[in-house]
Amino acid sequence: MTHPRATPAARTESAQDAPSTRTHTGRPTPGTATPTHPSLTDLRHHLSTHLEPAARTWLDHALDEAAAHPGLHGPISVWELRLAEAGRRCGPAHADAARVLILDAARAGIDALTRVYFQGTADERRAVLHALPHLVSGPGALPLIEGALRTNDTRLLSAAVGPYAARHLTAHHWRHAVLKCLFTGVPVDHVADLPRRAAGDGELARMLGDYAAERTAAGRAVPEDLYRVLDLTESVTPAPGTDRPHGKES
């Protein structure tokens, strides 16, 4: 079934109703940062060049400590204490990166990541989500992603739709993650690998059309990001043999 598309004028009207950081083309406006997914080496370099000397010294000690005593030890490991300190020691702007590096130094496996996620603060949970693509190769940590996607915490949602979700979420759950971003106002720029996974996805297009129709019927603005994703679903599907682990929903 073909769903009606809004006219360019209607899209502009919707964008004016809801504040946006994008132009009508879907590109971020000048000065708006597009989220990236840096490597561990990038994170370490960034912190080494941006932290104050005292914070660098603290982080170096925390990383050495985590490497010397990796894994879980008793009720709480020493590196878990450093995770809790990272915001105060490194500052809010650098705490996520510091925590990811500490988790890597501690060689945190799924059990350790799960403990931190469920026992830690929201900031620590977000760091775990950012660390997953660096520390977990298979789908074993998907329960953490799925748990984050059930929340309405936009900072957790933004972290949950990163590279790990792009690699391992099933088509069904990934589509609902995209809809959750639209529903909560998380920019789809945060959805890793969006063009590849959305390409030629007719089921996602149907869901987007239904969501747009519901909002229009209720007199509510349709997020401009919805049209960006809808356009991606109409793009060319990758050639046979490319790595596309998800599939059409049965």
Side-chain angles (χ1 to χ4, degrees):
M1 178 178 177
T2 302
H3 295 275
R5 296 288 299 276
T7 64
R11 292 190 190 189
T12 303
E13 228 176 5
S14 296
Q16 290 172 342
D17 290 341
S20 174
T21 58
R22 298 175 189 77
T23 66
H24 71 281
T25 63
R27 297 183 181 88
T29 54
T32 301
T34 298
T36 58
H37 306 288
S39 68
L40 293 171
T41 301
D42 293 335
L43 293 177
R44 188 66 186 264
H45 176 72
H46 177 80
L47 292 182
S48 68
T49 56
H50 287 82
L51 287 178
E52 296 293 331
R56 282 202 306 272
T57 299
W58 177 87
L59 180 61
D60 288 342
H61 177 72
L63 294 176
D64 289 343
E65 201 172 38
H69 304 283
L72 296 174
H73 302 281
I76 189 165
S77 302
V78 65
W79 56 265
E80 292 178 86
L81 297 174
R82 303 300 168 250
L83 291 179
E85 292 179 41
R88 176 167 55 88
R89 297 285 191 168
C90 299
H94 305 301
D96 275 356
R99 290 185 176 109
V100 170
L101 291 177
I102 292 169
L103 288 167
D104 175 63
R107 301 195 288 279
I110 292 176
D111 288 346
L113 293 168
T114 300
R115 182 162 95 176
V116 172
Y117 187 85
F118 286 108
Q119 295 184 5
T121 64
D123 288 340
E124 290 163 29
R125 291 197 293 274
R126 189 174 63 255
V128 167
L129 296 172
H130 283 309
L132 292 181
H134 303 294
L135 302 183
V136 183
S137 59
L142 276 177
L144 304 185
I145 296 291
E146 291 164 358
L149 292 173
R150 286 192 291 269
T151 75
N152 287 317
D153 184 328
T154 55
R155 296 180 74 194
L156 284 182
L157 291 172
S158 297
V161 292
Y164 189 83
R167 293 174 198 162
H168 299 295
L169 273 182
T170 64
H172 173 79
H173 287 99
W174 184 82
R175 290 170 187 140
H176 282 278
V178 173
L179 265 292
K180 186 68 175 274
C181 287
L182 295 172
F183 179 76
T184 58
V186 171
V188 295
D189 288 326
H190 289 279
V191 181
D193 214 5
L194 177 63
R196 180 184 69 86
R197 289 213 60 167
D201 192 334
E203 176 61 15
L204 178 59
R206 181 195 66 77
M207 294 168 69
L208 293 169
D210 288 346
Y211 181 57
E214 289 172 7
R215 290 187 68 89
T216 300
R220 303 179 68 186
V222 177
E224 186 68 17
D225 268 357
L226 184 145
Y227 297 113
R228 293 181 62 198
V229 182
L230 194 56
D231 287 342
L232 290 173
T233 67
E234 297 173 356
S235 61
V236 177
T237 305
T242 55
D243 178 21
R244 196 175 182 191
H246 65 294
K248 294 296 181 186
E249 203 169 330
S250 59

